């Protein structure tokens, strides 16, 4: 019944439904890219350089004559894969740190909170640039940069929830009954954090996509010739005045992706908010 109530509250929000539709389209486009892309995203045609929208190339071509629509579709696969893995890995680490800090408190909490505070002191993109500078440019390192960016915010959120939950009477009763710390955390505290974890993950995807695109735009993220939205914007800068479509199309793709995750995240946050249960 609770799940049905959450779905009902989510579907009552038009913006959340719009975000969900955009997200489904985005994910399907990425998954089906090998079958729906009209051209090979790496295929060059120097006789079709920087062509505008046409029946042959619906979204035009880039500076090497490659089909923009095909590169946008394959770029979705790259951006979503790196963002998804980075957010999931970062969230897992953040949840573990948050649970440990919030449940045990004391010196453990102080140490973890100190590390979290240091990470939060750096802007997300700057922190990602530092990691890339140390380990080098690659898809794996970009994913690691996203994960490190996600850890502190997730850890702080879960820590706050764990701090309040550990003082509940049923948690104290479990301790008196002899339940182990691991059992208490896994069966009582963690499940009560799931709602906020899901919302944070969803909202983090938008920031992760922006970070991936930003790193690629700066030339330190996904490397050519792999199709990626930020890199497509970067290489089209030189022809902005004469061929604005080169920046417009991937820019819209980034905007729609970030907007989709933000709208869905906001909808989930409202739907899962306990204060809205009786509305």
């Amino acid at each position: 019944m609770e799940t049905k109530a959450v779905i009902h509250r989510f579907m009552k929000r038009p913006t959340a439904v719009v975000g969900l539709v955009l997200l489904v389209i985005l994910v399907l486009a990425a998954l089906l890219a090998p079958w729906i892309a009209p051209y090979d995203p790496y295929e060059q045609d120097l006789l079709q350089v920087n062509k505008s929208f046409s029946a042959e190339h619906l979204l035009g071509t880039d500076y090497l004559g490659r089909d923009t629509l095909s590169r946008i579709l394959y770029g979705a696969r790259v951006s979503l894969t790196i963002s998804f893995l980075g957010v999931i890995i970062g969230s897992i680490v953040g949840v573990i740190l948050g649970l440990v800090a919030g449940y045990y408190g004391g010196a453990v909490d102080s140490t973890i909170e100190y590390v979290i505070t240091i990470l939060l002191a750096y802007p997300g993109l700057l922190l990602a640039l530092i990691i890339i500078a140390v380990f080098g440019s690659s898809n794996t390192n970009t994913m690691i940069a996203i994960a490190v960016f996600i850890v502190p915010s997730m850890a702080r959120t879960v820590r706050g929830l764990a701090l309040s939950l550990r003082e509940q009477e049923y948690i104290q009763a479990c301790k008196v009954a002899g339940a182990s710390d691991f059992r208490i955390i896994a069966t009582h505290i963690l499940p009560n954090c799931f709602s906020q974890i899901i919302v944070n993950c969803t909202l983090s995807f938008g920031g992760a996509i922006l970070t991936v695109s930003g790193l690629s735009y700066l030339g330190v993220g996904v490397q050519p010739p792999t199709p990626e939205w930020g890199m497509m914007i970067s290489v089209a800068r030189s022809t902005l005045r004469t061929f604005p479509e080169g920046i417009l199309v991937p820019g819209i793709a980034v905007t729609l992706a970030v907007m989709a995750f933000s709208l869905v995240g906001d909808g989930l946050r409202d739907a899962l908010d306990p204060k809205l249960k009786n509305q």
Side-chain angles (χ1 to χ4, degrees), residues 108-164:
V108 174
D109 182 27
S110 299
T111 302
I112 294 177
E113 180 66 12
Y114 180 72
V115 174
I116 291 173
T117 302
I118 292 176
L119 292 176
L120 286 173
Y122 291 90
L125 186 58
L126 176 59
L127 183 61
L129 284 171
I130 293 173
I131 295 172
I132 294 296
V134 172
F135 296 103
S137 301
S138 71
N139 290 4
T140 300
N141 290 339
T142 300
M143 180 186 67
I144 293 173
I146 297 297
V148 174
F149 168 70
I150 297 298
V151 168
S153 59
M154 181 64 75
R156 175 160 286 185
T157 298
V158 175
R159 171 184 174 271
L161 293 172
L163 280 172
S164 62

Side-chain angles (χ1 to χ4, degrees), residues 181-252:
D181 291 342
F182 178 81
R183 181 178 179 82
I184 293 173
I185 292 173
T187 61
H188 297 290
I189 294 182
L190 179 58
N192 284 295
C193 298
F194 273 150
S195 296
Q196 191 59 51
I197 291 172
I198 292 172
V199 172
N200 277 23
C201 282
T202 306
L203 291 172
S204 296
F205 279 119
I209 289 176
L210 279 178
T211 302
V212 172
S213 298
L215 291 173
S216 298
Y217 178 84
L218 295 173
V220 296
V222 178
Q223 297 298 300
T226 304
E228 198 284 323
W229 296 336
M231 185 177 60
M232 293 173 68
I233 295 174
S234 179
V235 298
R237 287 178 301 169
S238 59
T239 57
L240 176 59
R241 293 181 179 273
T242 59
F243 186 63
E245 295 94 325
I247 286 181
L248 181 64
V249 173
I252 291 176

